């Protein structure tokens, strides 16, 4: 059951109506996989650890960057450059030494998703891109696991629970992904620092409700929250034929419109051979004003209507802050321009 120290650790749950010893034991015996140890992952992991979820898996291939510290509150300045998954585990173990952590310092891919999900009771999505969200959805359907979903955008967030006892799935709500140029992530457009804490905490709450069997789970509902107005609303939706999945997609980036880029070049190599290339900056105007490495400037959002302006007599290096918008730009230009032009992505972006 519980040791004396565990009884002390979980006292406020043990005396809580609807949780008590039975609910706490369910938490102790449960296994939860958290995808991502970033903005959403930090509060999810902190509250699930504090609540006493017995086994927590953390999958994240990334390392701590200084720009993360504005919202990813598990990390400190001294953690810059360290593995997020490993650093999170070390810090969380100090919060609750009675938890078993499984650390996966790798990307979630179609090769590992099904085998990983089979090992856990609940999957919590703290990812920040559509390719991973669709992969996660499909893998939870195929392994019959409930999925606790969260997403953030500037000042707004969403929370829902998918595939819970036959409920609707992510594909019921979003049958097709948005165009890459319409879905920048927070590294490109920013996010208010407290928002991941709010949304991640709500995801942890839904996870605890699922495990303990209490309350009304956010299945077939999408909770939307706006930090600027403090308004929230719940949108109801139903399970559709899109919920049926019989296999994983061959390539989720391709499915989301981000085709394999092909050629890439590092900033160092570009600076050594700059005369060989034309440059295209697809960042916003204010980013361009702060600093740039030259070349033509057409923001990604304007490229659909201005692609004919692109100078193409030399191989074209497309750049942005992180390399994501430039990938989307190259995907768009491949559709619009002649195959004669060589398109090259600036690897890692210009930060």
């Amino acid at each position: 059951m519980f040791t004396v120290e565990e009884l002390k650790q979980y006292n406020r749950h043990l005396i809580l109506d609807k949780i008590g010893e039975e609910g706490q034991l369910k938490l102790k015996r449960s296994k939860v996989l958290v995808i991502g140890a970033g903005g959403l992952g930090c509060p999810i992991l902190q509250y699930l650890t504090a609540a006493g979820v017995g086994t927590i898996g953390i999958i994240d291939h990334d390392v701590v960057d200084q720009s993360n510290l504005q919202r990813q509150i598990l990390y400190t300045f001294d953690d810059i450059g360290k593995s997020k998954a490993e650093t999170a585990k070390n810090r969380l173990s100090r919060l609750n030494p009675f938890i078993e952590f499984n650390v996966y310092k790798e990307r979630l891919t179609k090769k590992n998703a099904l085998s990983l999900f089979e090992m856990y009771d609940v999957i919590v999505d703290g990812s920040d891109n559509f390719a991973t969200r669709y992969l996660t959805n499909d893998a939870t359907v195929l392994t019959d696991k409930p999925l606790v979903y969260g997403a953030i955008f500037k000042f707004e967030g969403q929370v829902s629970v998918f595939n819970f006892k036959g409920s609707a799935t992510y594909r019921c709500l979003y049958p097709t992904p948005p165009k890459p140029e319409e879905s920048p992530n927070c590294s490109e457009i920013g996010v208010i620092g407290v928002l991941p804490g709010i949304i991640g905490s709500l995801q942890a709450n839904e996870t605890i409700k699922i495990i303990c069997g209490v309350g009304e789970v956010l299945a077939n509902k999408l909770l939307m929250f706006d930090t600027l107005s403090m308004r929230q609303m719940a949108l109801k939706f139903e399970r559709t034929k899109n919920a049926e999945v019989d296999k994983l997609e061959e390539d989720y980036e391709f499915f989301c419109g981000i085709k394999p880029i092909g050629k890439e070049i590092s900033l160092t190599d570009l600076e050594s051979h700059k005369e060989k290339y034309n440059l295209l900056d697809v960042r916003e105007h204010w980013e361009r004003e702060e600093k740039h490495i030259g070349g033509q400037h057409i923001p990604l959002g304007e490229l659909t209507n201005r692609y004919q302006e692109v100078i193409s007599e030399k191989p074209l290096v497309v750049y942005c802050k992180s390399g994501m918008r430039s990938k989307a730009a190259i995907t768009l230009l491949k559709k619009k321009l002649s195959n004669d032009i060589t398109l090259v992505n600036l690897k890692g972006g210009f930060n």
Side-chain angles (χ1 to χ4, degrees), residues 112-275:
N112 60 19
L114 295 177
S115 58
L116 273 176
F117 288 13
E118 288 284 6
M119 299 163 55
Y120 293 89
D121 305 311
V122 183
I123 311 301
V124 188
D125 184 6
S127 65
D128 64 356
N129 63 86
F130 286 96
T132 302
R133 289 171 189 158
Y134 279 98
L135 167 61
T136 300
N137 173 82
D138 295 354
T140 53
V141 170
L142 292 172
T143 56
D144 194 25
K145 306 291 181 178
L147 169 60
V148 181
Y149 159 80
I152 55 177
F153 182 81
K154 293 185 176 180
F155 297 94
E156 301 172 2
Q158 302 179 347
V159 185
S160 189
V161 174
F162 301 123
N163 202 49
F164 177 68
K165 297 182 178 179
S167 74
T169 73
Y170 183 74
R171 283 185 183 264
C172 299
L173 189 62
Y174 300 111
T176 57
K179 296 177 181 178
E181 61 269 23
E182 296 172 352
S183 57
N185 60 33
C186 67
S187 68
E188 299 165 330
I189 59 169
V191 63
I192 187 74
V194 299
L195 180 60
I198 296 168
I199 301 301
S201 296
L202 291 173
Q203 287 181 266
N205 184 56
E206 291 304 305
T207 305
I208 292 169
K209 285 160 57 181
I210 290 170
I211 294 168
C212 294
V214 299
E216 183 180 338
V217 173
L218 272 174
N220 298 323
K221 292 180 183 177
L222 179 70
L223 179 68
M224 296 179 284
F225 185 85
D226 184 344
T227 58
L228 292 181
S229 65
M230 294 305 289
R231 292 190 184 121
Q232 64 179 24
M233 62 180 291
L235 171 71
K236 292 185 178 181
F237 61 101
E238 298 180 350
R239 184 180 175 91
T240 70
K241 63 181 182 180
N242 294 311
E244 305 303 322
V245 175
D246 56 11
K247 63 179 181 178
L248 297 180
E249 299 278 353
E250 285 297 318
D251 187 327
Y252 280 88
E253 286 201 344
F254 185 90
F255 171 73
C256 290
I258 306 175
K259 296 181 176 65
I261 291 303
K263 294 189 176 183
E264 289 193 310
I265 189 170
S266 69
L267 183 58
T268 302
D269 287 343
L270 175 63
E271 289 174 340
S272 299
H273 305 91
K274 205 169 180 179
E275 71 284 353

Side-chain angles (χ1 to χ4, degrees), residues 331-344:
T331 299
L332 187 154
L333 291 173
K334 282 184 176 180
K335 294 177 182 177
K336 300 287 188 180
L337 299 179
S338 163
N339 291 330
D340 294 336
I341 181 173
T342 300
L343 298 166
V344 185

Side-chain angles (χ1 to χ4, degrees), residues 64-83:
V64 179
D65 183 82
Q66 189 170 356
S67 65
N68 300 150
L69 303 181
Q70 165 252 15
R71 66 201 175 282
Q72 298 181 20
I73 54 177
L74 265 176
Y75 312 119
T76 70
F77 194 86
D78 294 334
D79 296 322
I80 293 172
K82 297 179 183 177
S83 160

Side-chain angles (χ1 to χ4, degrees), residues 54-120:
T55 302
I56 298 177
I58 309 171
I59 180 166
D60 196 313
H61 73 287
D62 204 2
V63 298
V64 179
D65 183 82
Q66 189 170 356
S67 65
N68 300 150
L69 303 181
Q70 165 252 15
R71 66 201 175 282
Q72 298 181 20
I73 54 177
L74 265 176
Y75 312 119
T76 70
F77 194 86
D78 294 334
D79 296 322
I80 293 172
K82 297 179 183 177
S83 160
K84 286 185 180 179
E86 192 68 45
T87 303
K89 175 212 166 182
N90 293 338
R91 189 135 302 130
L92 294 166
S93 296
R94 290 157 58 189
L95 169 63
N96 191 341
F98 309 112
I99 306 301
E100 178 182 344
F101 294 98
N102 298 325
V103 172
Y104 310 98
K105 294 187 286 186
E106 57 190 282
R107 290 180 183 273
L108 184 73
T109 68
K110 64 173 294 184
K111 292 182 180 180
N112 60 19
L114 295 177
S115 58
L116 273 176
F117 288 13
E118 288 284 6
M119 299 163 55
Y120 293 89

